[in-house]
Amino acid sequence: MRISELAAETDVPVATIKYYLREKLLPEGERTSATQAVYGPAHVERLRLIRALADSGVGIAASRRVITALDDPPANPSHLLGMAHTAVSPPVDAALDLTAAAALISRWGWQPESCDPQQVAGVARALGTLDRAGFTVPETTMDAYLAGIRRMVEAEIDAIPTTSSDAAVRYVVLGTVLVEPLLLALRRVAEELVSGERFGDAGS
Amino acid sequence: MRISELAAETDVPVATIKYYLREKLLPEGERTSATQAVYGPAHVERLRLIRALADSGVGIAASRRVITALDDPPANPSHLLGMAHTAVSPPVDAALDLTAAAALISRWGWQPESCDPQQVAGVARALGTLDRAGFTVPETTMDAYLAGIRRMVEAEIDAIPTTSSDAAVRYVVLGTVLVEPLLLALRRVAEELVSGERFGDAGS
């Protein structure tokens, strides 16, 4: 199909498609003349992925890294998760104090040193923000966070498809990034409903 | 203290403080002359809050709504949660199909109609993004998400301070918004560690 048909099929404007082509998020179509190229189903699928990443707040540079990880995946699913995380996480700030984050991770019974410093730094940044706002998560709530997240993640990892490496790559890379807004949205719904139950005022 | 001292105390540049004053995020100081005003501990605390909201990716307009909710809170903690959520959630798009989101919420045993449509819409948007990317969350994983989130939220709501309404307001409004990056960061760490356990390659 031509670029105009690709735009109609995916509901992405031609100008935006050209931008993604320039940014190398979308591979070139097959040239049919100096000014024309044709696109196939792989372009449709890739465009949907780019839009989904954008919808999830993933920027252009991080999207390019996610797509690179999809196109050229490492063999081990454990490395794959690391690549997906690295792609969408900011670089480590050397000045960041990781002590509190490492202590929190230890409560899971894991060695913080076993973990990618970029992800420990993510926890440290989040704790720093809470700290600067003068907000303390009560111990019992933090315990529930650690237990709840562990339970969710074990189910995620157990469900990694083992039938094809393509499916595994897609599942890990997209599941990591695109599921985040769903979890936050479900938390807000649950907060309203549980608080309605506790304070006898559901639904207002 | 003067604005320069406030800047030194909070590590926020004077120009940024003036911007927050213009945007009404920060209340005016007490005027001592036509060109001078003095600021107190409440300004320091408010500035830390504004920075924490910005660090969490909350924009100026949403921050103003959060601060309004803090300054003029409703009496019922259940309403308060609603106000905090409304402040930081985008408006409902009437064209959004809420069917799948409502079905998901029903799996908790709650009536989706009891829930703020803005929050149901948040779930619908997140599901739509996954759908457009061609990503399906496996049923067992979704069950684990629902169970894990419910457990975390019950602990959150049980820990709402009842000693003072100020403390309750602060806890609910900030806990809702500022804890989100912590949960996502902890999930990424857990994903790497559980995947390392399962695939025998922790720490790489």
Side-chain angles (χ1 to χ4, degrees):
Chain A
M1 69 190 95
R2 295 196 185 168
I3 196 165
S4 57
E5 293 164 312
L6 181 62
E9 171 81 19
T10 57
D11 214 20
V12 177
V14 169
T16 308
I17 295 177
K18 287 185 173 168
Y19 171 68
Y20 293 149
L21 286 166
R22 282 197 305 277
E23 289 288 336
K24 312 265 185 238
L25 289 176
L26 189 67
E28 296 287 336
E30 195 188 332
R31 290 244 158 249
T32 52
S33 78
T35 56
Q36 295 241 312
V38 291
Y39 301 87
H43 290 92
V44 173
E45 198 190 323
R46 175 58 52 92
L47 263 179
R48 294 213 165 111
L49 171 59
I50 296 168
R51 297 305 280 189
L53 290 167
D55 285 352
S56 299
V58 179
I60 292 289
S63 292
R64 194 187 292 112
R65 289 192 294 269
V66 168
I67 283 166
T68 305
L70 275 174
D71 284 345
D72 188 16
N76 187 318
S78 173
H79 292 196
L80 194 63
L81 253 168
M83 278 181 70
H85 287 166
T86 303
V88 295
S89 307
V92 180
D93 173 359
L96 207 60
D97 181 359
L98 302 181
T99 318
L104 194 53
I105 292 166
S106 306
R107 283 166 62 178
W108 264 319
W110 281 311
Q111 301 291 327
E113 305 80 45
S114 308
C115 195
D116 175 6
Q118 214 181 345
Q119 303 316 316
V120 183
V123 174
R125 261 191 303 273
L127 289 174
T129 296
L130 287 169
D131 201 40
R132 280 190 297 281
F135 185 85
T136 310
V137 176
E139 282 302 294
T140 52
T141 310
M142 192 63 97
D143 283 340
Y145 288 162
L146 293 172
I149 286 169
R150 183 167 190 155
R151 177 177 180 167
M152 292 194 280
V153 166
E154 285 173 346
E156 286 175 346
I157 302 292
D158 286 341
I160 291 180
T162 51
T163 44
S164 90
S165 80
D166 252 28
V169 170
R170 220 181 144 69
Y171 177 84
V172 168
V173 175
L174 299 185
T176 291
V177 182
L178 299 185
V179 167
E180 293 186 346
L182 176 66
L183 298 178
L184 296 184
L186 285 173
R187 172 172 174 251
R188 289 192 183 176
V189 166
E191 282 178 340
E192 298 215 342
L193 292 170
V194 173
S195 124
E197 279 182 353
R198 293 286 199 276
F199 299 105
D201 194 59
S204 66
Chain B
M1 69 190 97
R2 293 196 188 171
I3 197 165
S4 56
E5 293 163 312
L6 181 61
E9 170 82 18
T10 57
D11 213 21
V12 177
V14 169
T16 308
I17 294 178
K18 287 185 172 168
Y19 171 67
Y20 293 149
L21 287 166
R22 283 198 304 278
E23 289 288 335
K24 315 265 184 235
L25 289 176
L26 191 66
E28 296 288 336
E30 194 188 332
R31 292 243 157 252
T32 52
S33 77
T35 55
Q36 295 240 315
V38 292
Y39 301 87
H43 291 92
V44 173
E45 198 191 322
R46 174 59 50 93
L47 262 179
R48 294 212 165 111
L49 171 59
I50 296 169
R51 298 306 281 186
L53 289 167
D55 285 352
S56 299
V58 179
I60 291 290
S63 292
R64 194 187 293 114
R65 290 192 294 269
V66 168
I67 284 167
T68 305
L70 276 173
D71 284 345
D72 187 15
N76 188 318
S78 172
H79 291 195
L80 195 62
L81 254 168
M83 278 182 71
H85 287 165
T86 302
V88 295
S89 307
V92 179
D93 173 358
L96 208 61
D97 182 358
L98 303 180
T99 317
L104 194 53
I105 293 166
S106 306
R107 282 165 64 178
W108 264 321
W110 281 309
Q111 302 292 327
E113 305 78 45
S114 308
C115 194
D116 176 7
Q118 215 182 343
Q119 303 317 315
V120 183
V123 174
R125 261 191 304 272
L127 289 174
T129 297
L130 288 169
D131 201 42
R132 281 191 296 282
F135 185 84
T136 309
V137 176
E139 283 302 293
T140 52
T141 310
M142 192 63 95
D143 283 339
Y145 288 162
L146 293 172
I149 287 169
R150 183 168 189 152
R151 178 177 177 166
M152 293 194 280
V153 166
E154 284 173 346
E156 286 175 346
I157 302 291
D158 285 341
I160 291 180
T162 51
T163 44
S164 89
S165 80
D166 252 28
V169 169
R170 219 181 145 70
Y171 177 84
V172 168
V173 175
L174 299 186
T176 291
V177 182
L178 300 184
V179 167
E180 293 186 346
L182 175 66
L183 298 178
L184 297 183
L186 284 173
R187 173 172 173 250
R188 289 191 184 177
V189 167
E191 283 177 341
E192 297 214 343
L193 292 170
V194 173
S195 125
E197 278 183 354
R198 293 286 199 275
F199 300 105
D201 194 59
S204 65

